[in-house]
Amino acid sequence: MAIPKTYHLVTLGCPKNDVDSEHLERLLTGGELLPVLQPGDADAIIVNTCGFIEQSQEQSMEAVRELAAAKRDGQTLIVAGCMTQLYGRQVKEETPAIDHIFGVGQWQDVARLLSVDVDAIFDIPESNVHVAGPSAYLKISDGCDAPCQFCVIPKIKGGLRSAPAGMLVKEAQRLVAAGAKELVLVGQDTTAWGEDLGMAVGTGLPGLLQMLSETVGPDVWLRLMYAYPSRVSPALIETMAALPNVVRYLDVPLQHGSEAVLRRMKRPHNVDRVHAFIRDLRAAMPGIVLRTSFIAGFPGETEEEFKELLDFAREIRFDHAGCFTYSRQQWTGAFGMDAQVPDEVKAERRDRFMRQQQKIAAKQARRFIGRTLDLLVEGTGEDEDGAPVVAGRTRREAPEVDGMVFARGTARVGDKVPVRIEEASEYDLFGRVLSHR
Ligand code: SF4
């Protein structure tokens, strides 16, 4: 292989993958390779795949097939990440144009293959960040020790590994210095942070939040994603409520609302416990925005159990909720379970859930009408009459997964401006920019 000078990187999957790609990019650019927008212009094409569920594997495969079909002589095609960690041999067999396969956590090996002298790049240890406009992801941990029967992540990523607090503080400082106005904390389970470093269950994250809050200062938002229900502790709630720059928002994937299904999934929380901590969250932070995700059609799920999920979601009134159909994954406990639910039943239940959720989300969104929210501006443009508009997110919306806010008026990307909310749909809010405070 001739020494590559340019690369094109395609990233699929979740924000944790974005962070891994950021790490790879820092290695490649540190080794003086140049990123290019078009795959056809690159000496090396790298695909960072997702293997979480069947649908994400299919999306990754499609991207790989497309790039392989267009690959020209002299180009190197590298496929890495979660999907190839699980199915590397099969992927290579199906797509012989791939030159190299890597699993997860092998970014330094990818860089070495592309002639980067990794050991000479002192400034680039493990990266835990991904910068996306005025927001940046900060990956506080990777891997997971939980026994969830539907999930292949522990097999792909291995057990919990928390990034040391000192390193996270340094990364946070670097990001804020580079202009980040929001840090989004991610990990497979952010609430487990520190347990592998010897901290008692549930005690690590509150301390880390406190430390990061002081590090970034009052004007930078901190947002917490992927909390594990049994670890949403009084200490965490108290800390979130006490720190003004931790946004009143929590993403806590609950997976189901039926006690029996939760037991089969080997989830440690029960429904009463969820009701209790949601009551505590709402009491400590009135108006807190809640996001969750559920699985429809886990093996053995009866119509009755699914209706329990509908009732549960209706009672709690999540601001944002996703519902995935159960995806049968090799190497998971649920793979061999009896009573797999037929695909059409899973899809019908997911659709029924989403129809209910759209109504709930629309109602939840309407409570913001008439209120003034700080908008983090991510884009600017004009409406059909040529009047200026801005788009961005308030504390109500996490990047990439929730809706957006559109407002008439002017501001620059990266500004935080007050916006009066005038209308709401189930996903988006609409309003106007007030004069800057
Ligand atoms: S906590 Fe999340 S990442 Fe860990 S096994 Fe359960 S679903 Fe998978």
Side-chain angles (χ1 to χ4, degrees):
M1 176 175 69
I3 293 183
K5 292 191 171 59
T6 55
Y7 71 91
H8 176 80
L9 175 61
V10 177
T11 305
L12 295 123
C14 65
K16 287 149 284 190
N17 252 19
D18 291 336
V19 174
D20 288 346
S21 284
E22 170 84 17
H23 175 53
L24 177 61
E25 295 228 50
R26 285 168 73 184
L27 289 170
L28 297 182
T29 51
E32 298 191 350
L33 270 83
L34 288 175
V36 290
L37 283 176
Q38 298 304 325
D41 297 335
D43 297 329
I45 301 169
I46 307 143
V47 189
N48 183 3
T49 59
C50 175
F52 183 45
I53 54 174
E54 217 176 301
Q55 203 186 356
S56 36
Q57 289 161 12
E58 196 34 53
Q59 276 167 0
S60 293
M61 264 323 288
E62 250 172 57
V64 171
R65 279 187 212 111
E66 220 173 275
L67 291 163
K71 187 185 154 196
R72 55 173 172 73
D73 282 350
Q75 276 188 317
T76 303
L77 177 58
I78 299 167
V79 184
C82 296
M83 180 177 73
T84 40
Q85 173 80 16
L86 291 175
Y87 301 108
R89 194 169 45 80
Q90 293 94 317
V91 171
K92 172 78 178 132
E93 272 166 19
E94 197 203 301
T95 322
I98 297 171
D99 298 288
H100 302 277
I101 294 271
F102 291 91
V104 296
Q106 289 186 286
W107 308 113
Q108 299 208 347
D109 297 332
V110 173
R112 277 194 191 98
L113 178 80
L114 298 177
S115 304
V116 174
D117 184 358
V118 171
D119 303 321
I121 307 173
F122 298 115
D123 193 27
I124 309 193
E126 275 295 299
S127 170
N128 282 73
V129 300
H130 170 67
V131 187
S135 285
Y137 289 109
L138 184 62
K139 187 164 80 171
I140 64 171
S141 63
D142 210 346
C144 182
D145 296 322
C148 308
Q149 295 290 284
F150 51 83
C151 183
V152 75
I153 293 287
K155 163 86 183 164
I156 299 174
K157 298 271 186 164
L160 173 71
R161 295 175 312 282
S162 302
M167 175 182 176
L168 293 172
V169 164
K170 225 164 119 195
E171 293 281 17
Q173 282 166 336
R174 188 176 74 75
L175 288 166
V176 173
K181 300 288 169 35
E182 175 183 44
L183 301 189
V184 183
L185 274 52
V186 294
Q188 306 301 337
D189 166 10
T190 49
T191 46
W193 184 85
E195 286 176 21
D196 56 319
L197 304 176
M199 296 175 205
V201 175
T203 61
L205 185 61
L208 179 68
L209 274 180
Q210 179 89 44
M211 222 180 291
L212 290 174
S213 170
E214 282 161 21
T215 301
V216 300
D219 297 331
V220 176
W221 290 342
L222 294 173
R223 187 185 296 274
L224 197 54
M225 304 298 286
Y226 310 115
Y228 197 62
S230 60
R231 291 191 179 94
V232 180
S233 62
L236 178 63
I237 296 172
E238 209 177 290
T239 305
M240 287 178 72
L243 298 173
N245 54 351
V246 174
V247 290
R248 274 46 178 158
Y249 176 106
L250 188 66
D251 168 51
V252 52
L254 292 169
Q255 314 302 356
H256 215 279
S258 151
E259 205 68 67
V261 178
L262 288 171
R263 294 293 73 77
R264 290 202 296 279
M265 287 177 164
K266 291 217 173 135
R267 300 281 289 179
H269 63 281
N270 62 41
V271 171
D272 286 347
R273 158 113 183 89
V274 175
H275 282 297
F277 78 67
I278 285 180
R279 254 195 319 272
D280 293 347
L281 281 164
R282 284 178 166 156
M285 291 168 276
I288 185 171
V289 172
L290 296 172
R291 151 167 281 279
T292 193
S293 52
F294 293 115
I295 295 173
F298 186 75
E301 184 191 69
T302 62
E303 176 62 20
E304 239 1 87
E305 287 167 344
F306 174 68
K307 282 186 178 151
E308 286 175 40
L309 165 60
L310 289 179
D311 292 347
F312 172 76
R314 207 167 34 237
E315 207 177 322
I316 293 192
R317 295 173 284 107
F318 294 97
D319 297 87
H320 311 284
C323 187
F324 302 93
T325 52
Y326 166 70
S327 168
R328 194 177 177 200
Q329 294 283 331
Q330 231 181 327
W331 299 297
T332 62
F335 184 77
M337 282 183 182
D338 294 336
Q340 297 283 332
V341 177
D343 285 349
E344 60 279 13
V345 176
K346 290 193 256 186
E348 189 278 327
R349 288 180 184 166
R350 180 212 41 220
D351 294 349
R352 210 173 345 144
F353 177 92
M354 288 314 294
R355 279 198 300 277
Q356 168 177 295
Q357 178 56 29
Q358 273 164 8
K359 288 188 199 139
I360 296 170
K363 208 165 162 197
Q364 289 293 95
R366 283 200 291 276
R367 71 196 164 108
F368 290 95
I369 295 176
R371 289 170 58 179
T372 300
L373 302 176
D374 281 338
L375 177 77
L376 176 55
V377 179
E378 293 184 316
T380 61
E382 293 178 350
D383 66 12
E384 61 264 24
D385 301 323
V389 288
V390 297
R393 292 175 299 99
T394 68
R395 70 175 177 86
R396 194 190 80 103
E397 301 87 18
E400 301 184 62
V401 286
D402 299 327
M404 297 283 288
V405 178
F406 301 92
R408 301 186 309 281
T410 51
R412 287 165 312 180
V413 171
D415 281 352
K416 274 194 188 134
V417 292
V419 163
R420 174 64 51 86
I421 303 301
E422 296 169 337
E423 282 177 57
S425 69
E426 60 266 53
Y427 301 118
D428 301 323
L429 300 178
F430 306 88
R432 69 191 155 84
V433 177
L434 301 180
S435 54
H436 292 222
R437 282 192 284 246

